[in-house]
Amino acid sequence: MASRKPAPGKGRVSKGSPKSGRTRKRASQGGGGWLLRGLGAAGIAIGFAFGLGLAQWVLEIDRVVVERFEGRRFSVPSRVYSAPLIVYPGTDWQRVDLSGWLLRLGYRQQPEGGQLLPGRYEWLPGRLRVHLRAFDHPLRPELARELEFRLAGGLIDKIEDARTGATVDVVVLEPEPVSAFLGEDREQRDLIKIESVPNHLIGAIFAVEDKRFEQHHGIDLQRVVGALMANLKAGRVAQGASTLTQQLVKNFFLTPERTLSRKLREAAMALIVEARYTKREILQAYLNEIYLGQRGSTQVHGVGEGARLYFGKSVSNLTVAESALIAAIIQSPNRISPHRRPELAQARRNLVIDLMFEQNRISPRHHQAALDEPIRLAAISRESGQSRYFLDALSQQLPDVYDTDVLRTEGLRIYSTLDPRIQRSAARALRSGLERIEAQLPEPADPAAPLQGCLLAMRPQTGEVLALVGGRDYGASQWNRCVHARRQVGSVFKPFVYVAALEPGSGPQVTLADFLDDAPLELETPSSPEPWRPENYDHEFRGPVSVREALERSLNVPAVRLGQRVGIARVASIAQALGVSSPLPLVPSLALGTAEVAPIEIARAYATLANGGRRPTPRMFVDVVEPGGLATENRPLQGSVPVLDPGAAYLAVSLLEGVVDRGTAVRVRAEGMRGPIAGKTGTTDDEFDLWFVGFTPELVAVVWVGFDDPAPVGLPSSRGALPIWTDFMREVVGVRVRGQFLRPSGVEPLEIDPETGALALAGCPRRSEEVFLRGTGPEQTCPAEAVAGQEEKPGFFRRTFGRLLGRRP
C-alpha cells in the first residue's frame, strides 16, 4: 500500500524545530509587509488628496486676489461740487460769507510770523491776506496765488496780487464739496497716486505700523515672535504683528472675526499678494484703503480723504507733523480722534515722530520742528441734509449713461450750479417760515403729516438752479415738492393771461392804459349744467378797472374776461411757451390757475419774463469730469431760447413790479426791501395752496406752502408764502436790490391820464407814466376842457361801445 503525502501545512514537524520558526517568521513578514504597503498607499492617497485640496484652496485664494487687484479695487462715490464763488471789488464780503468759505474749504489761520503757505490766511486791520490753493479743473483751472483783499464799509474795496501789487478785477474761488453719491457702505475716499504722497507720510506709517515692510514677504516672522513674547509676558493681547500687507488683505477680502481659519487665510493671501505684486502697488492700495475715521455717518477711507478731513488740504501738502498724526490714528481712528481726544492724539503723534527719528526717517531739525508744531485741524464740514433734494434732482438730470451704479462707484467729479450760501438761506427761510405759520394755526398740525413747502431759486439768464429745498426735512420725507409736486397754482398763473393779451404776435388785445370790466359774469361750461360765476377774493365788484389795477389787486373776474377775449387756447399756448410743461385744461377757469403745475415750471416761466422773453432751461450741473480728468459732459453757459416779444415781457415785468409796489405783495416793501422787484401772490380755493413768485434782475425764487394731502392752511399767500420769500431774499441780496430791468427799444414810456387812460398832454391835471409797445399808445388825449375844470362828455361811439371795448366811458 502506497504511503500518502502529508497535506499542506500538516507535516510532522516538532514545535521546537527551526523549520517551524522560520515558517512562522516568513508568514509574519508576509502579513506585516502587506499592511505597511497598504498604509503607505493610503498615506500617499491622503497626501495627494490633501495636496490637491491645498492647491485648490491656494488657487481659489489666488483667483480672489487677482480679481480684486486687477479689477476695480475701490468703489469711489462721485463727488458733487458747488458753483465757484466769484468776488470782485464792490462785493459784500460778509453777505457772500467769505470767512465761512475759508473755514469750509479747510483754510487755516496763519500763525504770527510764519510764511503764508497755500491754504493759509491772515486777517489784518482792513485787510485779508490769503494764499489760494491751486484749483484743478479741466476747463477753469486756477493757479495758486497770494492775494490781498482791502476791505472798507463791509465791501471789498480792492483786490491785489500780494507778490506783484497788480490789481485783480475778478477772483474765482474754489468750489465747495457739496455731497457725494454714496453706496450702501457709505464710504468716501479720494484716490491718490503714490507719486503724490510725501515721503514723510510713508515714513510715518512704516515707523509705527510696519518698519520692515520693504524687507519681508508679507509676513514679518521677527515681529510675530516679538509680539508673541510681549503678549505672553503681559498675559493678554498687548501687541499685534500684522504687516501692512496683512492689514490690506484683511480690509480687502476678509471679515473682522478672529478665528484660526481667518488668520490662515489672511497669511496665505498676504504671501500671494507679495508674490504677485510690487511693494509700490501694495503700498498704494493700502494708502487708498485704510480707514481713518468718520464725517458724520460717512466712513473716511484713504490718506487722500483723510488729509482733507483733518487738515482741509491735499495729501501732497501735508507737513511732517500732520503726516505723523494720520499715521498715529490708523490704529484706532475713532478712539484717537484729534477732534474728540486731542491730548491722546497729540501724545500718539509725538510717539510716531520719535519713532521716525529713531529709525532715521527724519533729521533732528525736522524732528524737533514736528514736535513743536501744534495740531491745527480743519473745521468739519458735515453734509447738510437739505442739499439732498438738490442732489436727487441733479441725478435725474444727468445723462442716462451715468446710472446709479456708476455714480456710486466711478469717482466722477460733478460741477453743479448750487450756491451753498443761497441753499443754506433757502433751507433756513423755509423751515422758520413753516414754523411761524404753524404757530398761527388754531390747531396744531398732525406730526405725521406736517405743513410742507418748497423753495427754488434760479438765475433767469441761464436757468442755473442756485438753491432747491424740496421739503422741510429730507430725513422725514424725500419727496421733492419743487420738482415733482403738481399743485393748483392759483393767481400766479394770471400774468400769463395778461401776457397773451399784450403779446403783439397776433395783435395786442390790450395796452396798460386800457380798462377791464369787474362786473358779474356767467359762463356756460360743458362739465356743469349750471353756469360758472367767477367771484373775486372779497366777493366784491368794482366796475371798470385798469389793466394794471386788475393784476395788482389780483381780481378774478377781469382776468376771466380777458382770458375769454384772448382765447383760453392762446393763454395755454403762451404759458407753455414760457416754460409750463404740465397739461393745461382748456376751460375758462384756467385763467385763475386751476391747472396743477410743479414749482420748477413756474420758476422757469417767470424766469422767461425776467429774461426779456428768452426761455432758459433749468439745469443743475455744468461739467462732469471722469477720474482721468476728461470732461465727458460739458454744458457751457448758453443763450436761452426766444419765445416771447421782449417788449411784451417788459410790460409783464412792469405789471408785476406794480404788484409789489401797490398790490397784494406790498408786504415786500413793508419789510424794507427796495430796488427792482417784481412778483405775484397766489392762493387757491379754501387756501389749500399758497404761492409766491418774485424776482429781481438777477434772481427768480418761487415758494409753495401747503399740505401733501390737500387741506386748508388757514392763511392767504400774502401772510404765508410771501414772508418766507422776503426772509430768503433779505438774507441773500439784502434790503437794497441792485440793477434794473432793462427796457427794450420796442417799448416807450408815455404820460397818461390814469382816470381815463388817455394820453396826457400839457395842462392835463392828472398824469402818470405808463409803458407801451412802440406805436400802441392811446389815441385819445386828455381834453383841454378838463384843464378848465369842465368834464368832457363822451361821444356816442364811446358811450355805446366803451364798456364792450374795456375802456372807461
Side-chain angles (χ1 to χ4, degrees), residues 486-707:
R486 289 179 172 175
R487 303 294 291 249
Q488 283 196 353
V489 291
S491 294
V492 298
F493 193 89
K494 286 177 184 173
F496 308 150
V497 179
Y498 288 81
V499 169
L502 292 167
E503 218 275 332
S506 58
Q509 302 292 314
V510 295
T511 71
L512 300 194
D514 287 337
F515 288 80
L516 300 171
D517 199 6
D518 182 19
L521 175 66
E522 290 188 357
L523 293 172
E524 300 295 332
T525 60
S527 60
S528 173
E530 295 294 324
W532 178 50
R533 300 180 181 88
E535 292 185 336
N536 295 318
Y537 185 78
D538 58 3
H539 308 293
E540 298 288 337
F541 296 99
R542 294 161 181 79
V545 293
S546 70
V547 167
R548 186 174 287 280
E549 181 184 358
L551 186 61
E552 288 177 358
R553 301 180 70 168
S554 197
L555 300 177
N556 290 338
V557 177
V560 173
R561 287 185 181 276
L562 187 58
Q564 291 299 295
R565 183 191 303 184
V566 174
I568 289 299
R570 169 72 175 162
V571 172
S573 176
I574 284 291
Q576 290 163 344
L578 293 174
V580 174
S581 56
S582 295
L584 300 177
L586 300 183
V587 295
S589 61
L590 177 64
L592 303 185
T594 54
E596 295 180 343
V597 181
I600 193 170
E601 299 173 52
I602 295 297
R604 185 187 191 190
Y606 275 72
T608 303
L609 298 177
N611 195 32
R614 300 183 66 90
R615 185 185 65 212
T617 298
R619 60 191 194 148
M620 283 82 172
F621 78 100
V622 178
D623 303 310
V624 177
V625 182
E626 294 192 346
L630 177 66
T632 56
E633 285 290 333
N634 169 235
R635 298 198 176 180
L637 300 180
Q638 299 173 344
S640 303
V641 180
V643 296
L644 183 68
D645 177 76
Y650 181 81
L651 297 186
V653 171
S654 177
L655 283 174
L656 294 171
E657 284 186 284
V659 174
V660 172
D661 291 340
R662 296 171 296 275
T664 57
V666 72
R667 180 167 179 164
V668 172
R669 298 302 188 194
E671 293 291 331
M673 295 197 69
R674 299 293 180 263
I677 304 172
K680 185 69 186 75
T681 55
T683 307
T684 61
D685 288 345
D686 299 318
E687 297 172 339
F688 277 22
D689 299 275
L690 312 183
W691 294 79
F692 185 73
V693 190
F695 57 93
T696 72
E698 298 178 350
L699 189 65
V700 175
V702 56
V703 175
W704 169 84
V705 173
F707 292 97

Side-chain angles (χ1 to χ4, degrees), residues 125-205:
R127 292 180 295 158
L128 167 65
R129 290 178 60 236
V130 57
H131 198 149
L132 297 176
R133 296 188 296 250
F135 166 41
D136 182 22
H137 188 284
L139 301 177
R140 298 184 299 274
E142 291 286 333
L143 299 176
R145 53 177 173 168
E146 186 178 338
L147 299 178
E148 181 167 295
F149 297 82
R150 296 188 178 273
L151 313 174
L155 304 178
I156 297 176
D157 184 57
K158 189 177 183 181
I159 307 174
E160 294 179 339
D161 188 303
R163 302 289 175 86
T164 65
T167 299
V168 178
D169 295 325
V170 177
V171 178
V172 179
L173 298 176
E174 183 179 352
E176 298 180 32
V178 173
S179 188
F181 290 98
L182 298 170
E184 293 180 359
D185 54 11
R186 297 194 62 81
E187 292 183 3
Q188 180 63 287
R189 54 171 52 84
D190 183 9
L191 292 185
I192 52 90
K193 297 288 187 182
I194 198 166
E195 293 81 7
S196 66
V197 180
N199 289 331
H200 50 71
L201 175 56
I202 295 173
I205 294 173

Side-chain angles (χ1 to χ4, degrees), residues 341-467:
R341 305 184 69 182
E343 298 83 3
L344 179 60
Q346 180 159 356
R348 184 159 173 83
R349 183 205 70 168
N350 291 347
L351 170 64
V352 174
I353 294 171
D354 289 339
L355 289 173
M356 294 172 72
F357 176 64
E358 293 169 7
Q359 297 172 21
N360 296 318
R361 299 183 189 277
I362 54 175
S363 67
R365 180 171 64 86
H366 287 125
H367 172 240
Q368 191 58 50
L371 290 174
D372 293 341
E373 183 176 316
I375 293 179
R376 302 187 187 94
L377 300 174
I380 295 180
S381 180
R382 291 186 172 87
E383 177 186 325
S384 168
Q386 296 299 345
S387 67
R388 298 297 304 182
Y389 288 114
F390 179 91
L391 197 67
D392 289 349
L394 168 64
S395 65
Q396 294 164 12
Q397 195 177 70
L398 287 168
D400 292 339
V401 66
Y402 298 119
D403 60 18
T404 301
D405 184 60
V406 170
L407 291 174
R408 290 179 175 178
T409 61
E410 294 297 332
L412 306 175
R413 283 182 290 155
I414 303 168
Y415 291 93
S416 77
T417 61
L418 188 74
D419 186 315
R421 177 182 67 92
I422 297 179
Q423 177 74 11
R424 288 189 294 272
S425 297
R428 279 194 295 266
L430 182 64
R431 183 176 58 253
S432 61
L434 294 177
E435 292 172 353
R436 183 172 57 240
I437 294 172
E438 287 177 328
Q440 300 177 57
L441 300 181
E443 295 181 5
D446 181 359
L451 184 65
Q452 284 289 353
C454 82
L455 196 161
L456 183 147
M458 178 186 296
R459 199 183 305 280
Q461 292 78 14
T462 62
E464 293 169 284
V465 176
L466 306 180

